[in-house]
Amino acid sequence: MAGAKRRSAAPVIGVMAVQGDFREHLDTLASIGALTREVRLPEDLEGVSGLILPGGESTAMRKLYERWNLVAPIKALAASGAPILGTCAGAILLATKITDGDTPVLSLIDMEVQRNAFGRQLESFETTLTMQSLKPGGGATPLRAVFIRAPEIVRVGPAATVIAQLPDGKIVAARQGNVVGISFHPEIAGETRLHRWVLEQAAQHARRG
Amino acid sequence: MKKRSAPAKTKVAKSTWATKRGLAQMLKGGVIMDVVTPAEAKIAEEAGAVAVMALERVPSDIRRDGGVARMSDPDMIKGILDAVSIPVMAKARIGHHVEAQILEALDVDYIDESEVLTPADDRFHINKHEFRVPFVCGCKDLGEALRRINEGAAMMRTKGEAGTGNIVEAVRHIRTVSEQIEALKGQSEKRLRAAAKEMRVPYELVKVTVKAGRLPVVNFVAGGIATPADAALSMWLGADGVFVGSGIFKAKNPAKTAAAIVQATTHWSNPTILAEVSAGIGEAMKGIEMRTIPESERLSSRGW
């Protein structure tokens, strides 16, 4: 991103809309008063101050990202300091390593993820887990989470931090600076906390211009 | 082992309405492709399919061969489950509780209670609430959609006319569902209760549907999609995604056709991209004109 462009005070949050539950993310963002934009092509990212990568099928998304040259501009947006949140398939796209061979896509969080780590659909589940606040000095609070054929974060490297684990120790959320990847779906659980964080960070990012 | 700081409600719940409906939500904006072998499943995954439907014969072959069409051989379904990492769906006959139990035991990700197979029960569809695995069902109109949802379907697809390569019935069905929801908007509670009675579904289900302006579960279009433009037309009409059956592996070049349909489903509103992806993919499946199919041979008339 050129970075020098003036951005208006109200930030626009982009939601990757090549495939997946992007409408649920758009609805969640609208419910907290955010301005949103569907992103399918690189030009849709212009003027966006925060980005959400929804859930869906990461294999399908990967092909659409690669075909339409979306990887480089998303990485540039992350490098500019804009907040990025990836849920489920979105988190897989953010990882630096994918277990069992698939090449990484965006490599924005120093972590290894394993696709479908909990099993097939019959193992999909809902629970309440404890998540570290994304704000400095914030504590840990319970969060409702739905896991659909979810990935597990099997290893977090030195550049990233674990922000949520299941009671058995499985890592399901990690962060590297302004980029957050989670295995589950707050957008279908009525949770707005992560979306609020994206909105707040995007507003700061827009002010920094 | 238990941490004292753990919140009270850490229990894990599986096969809930949120997880059943949730998987369909994750498939949106995507293409679900019919496949009959592990090799085809791999081609579909490689092309960008969000899921595959494992079945023994694609609808156009079922139509050609006649006879009773049943659930596929479990070995064939297992082969496909092992071949790909994307979700695998499989078809059970309408009302065939036991075929559905077998598919659940095979650990498929979704069951399609499908009119493409020969119905097993002429009175009852499967009581889908009794299953842990989620179901997708076909519909031609709003009443049929809400009856299936009331029986526990967590995803719908408009029926179209499978195996024809002709989009006209699919268009009719999705338009009908949308128009019927539209017609109920702003109506009095009395009128909505009358509509619910007529459709033989609870008033509450009609109320949430009308309020949202769409079905309370994800709704794909199916039956007759043969080209990238057909997929984009379905999306333009308000579909959440598309099922493509015979349209891919009966095309001249399945891999290219599959990839192009995936692109068209994402970029349905961008004619420049549609022109680009539609070019040079080879001949589509031949297709059948609707007038040549007698009413009694129409698959969409199965189910009620």
Side-chain angles (χ1 to χ4, degrees), chain A residues 130-146:
Chain A
T130 308
M131 195 181 77
Q132 284 297 318
S133 170
L134 294 168
K135 293 174 189 164
T141 45
L143 182 91
R144 193 72 191 151
V146 183

Side-chain angles (χ1 to χ4, degrees), chain B residues 63-108:
Chain B
R63 192 178 282 289
R64 184 200 60 204
D65 298 349
V68 173
R70 312 178 179 92
M71 178 191 80
S72 299
D73 181 336
D75 272 344
M76 172 270 186
I77 294 168
K78 276 190 217 158
I80 289 170
L81 285 167
D82 290 342
V84 293
S85 65
I86 55 178
V88 175
M89 301 184 167
K91 289 182 192 289
R93 282 181 265 177
I94 289 174
H96 208 310
H97 183 87
V98 173
E99 282 189 350
Q101 286 181 313
I102 292 169
L103 293 173
E104 183 175 85
L106 289 170
D107 208 7
V108 301

Side-chain angles (χ1 to χ4, degrees), chain B residues 92-98 113 119-122 124-127 304:
Chain B
R93 282 181 265 177
I94 289 174
H96 208 310
H97 183 87
V98 173
E113 186 182 19
D121 190 321
D122 63 359
F124 298 108
H125 282 250
I126 297 168
N127 179 359
W304 46 91

Side-chain angles (χ1 to χ4, degrees), chain B residues 39-252:
Chain B
E40 285 188 359
K42 284 200 171 119
I43 292 171
E45 183 175 46
E46 188 51 40
V50 291
V52 290
M53 177 74 70
L55 74 176
E56 223 149 47
R57 289 174 290 169
V58 295
S60 63
D61 289 341
I62 291 174
R63 192 178 282 289
R64 184 200 60 204
D65 298 349
V68 173
R70 312 178 179 92
M71 178 191 80
S72 299
D73 181 336
D75 272 344
M76 172 270 186
I77 294 168
K78 276 190 217 158
I80 289 170
L81 285 167
D82 290 342
V84 293
S85 65
I86 55 178
V88 175
M89 301 184 167
K91 289 182 192 289
R93 282 181 265 177
I94 289 174
H96 208 310
H97 183 87
V98 173
E99 282 189 350
Q101 286 181 313
I102 292 169
L103 293 173
E104 183 175 85
L106 289 170
D107 208 7
V108 301
D109 296 291
Y110 242 90
I111 294 176
D112 183 4
E113 186 182 19
S114 178
E115 71 282 0
V116 167
L117 305 184
T118 311
D121 190 321
D122 63 359
R123 291 176 58 215
F124 298 108
H125 282 250
I126 297 168
N127 179 359
K128 293 161 278 285
H129 292 295
E130 289 181 13
F131 287 80
R132 292 178 299 130
V133 64
F135 282 76
V136 55
C137 288
C139 67
K140 298 182 297 296
D141 54 42
L142 180 61
E144 197 174 5
L146 295 182
R147 285 191 291 280
R148 296 297 86 79
I149 294 165
N150 195 39
E151 291 160 1
M155 177 179 184
M156 293 304 305
R157 53 173 177 77
T158 48
K159 284 178 171 173
E161 187 58 30
T164 60
N166 188 339
I167 191 78
V168 67
E169 293 301 299
V171 168
R172 187 205 316 280
H173 298 158
I174 187 140
R175 274 199 190 281
T176 302
V177 172
S178 307
E179 285 165 8
Q180 289 175 334
I181 294 172
E182 198 58 38
L184 291 174
K185 272 192 191 161
Q187 297 286 343
S188 65
E189 182 181 330
K190 198 175 156 194
R191 292 288 294 275
L192 292 187
R193 284 191 185 278
K197 196 174 174 195
E198 196 184 319
M199 294 189 282
R200 308 193 301 281
V201 294
Y203 163 68
E204 287 302 322
L205 191 51
V206 176
K207 196 172 130 185
V208 296
T209 303
V210 172
K211 191 172 173 224
R214 57 177 177 241
L215 292 178
V217 299
V218 165
N219 187 27
F220 273 42
V221 159
I225 294 171
T227 66
D230 288 347
L233 178 67
S234 303
M235 298 302 286
W236 179 74
L237 287 166
D240 288 321
V242 297
F243 280 90
V244 186
S246 322
I248 288 170
F249 289 97
K250 291 292 172 190
K252 196 119 193 166

Side-chain angles (χ1 to χ4, degrees), chain B residues 237-277:
Chain B
L237 287 166
D240 288 321
V242 297
F243 280 90
V244 186
S246 322
I248 288 170
F249 289 97
K250 291 292 172 190
K252 196 119 193 166
N253 189 329
K256 276 190 181 170
T257 303
I261 290 177
V262 168
Q263 296 295 338
T265 303
T266 293
H267 295 289
W268 60 270
S269 61
N270 187 325
T272 310
I273 290 181
L274 294 176
E276 187 187 326
V277 302

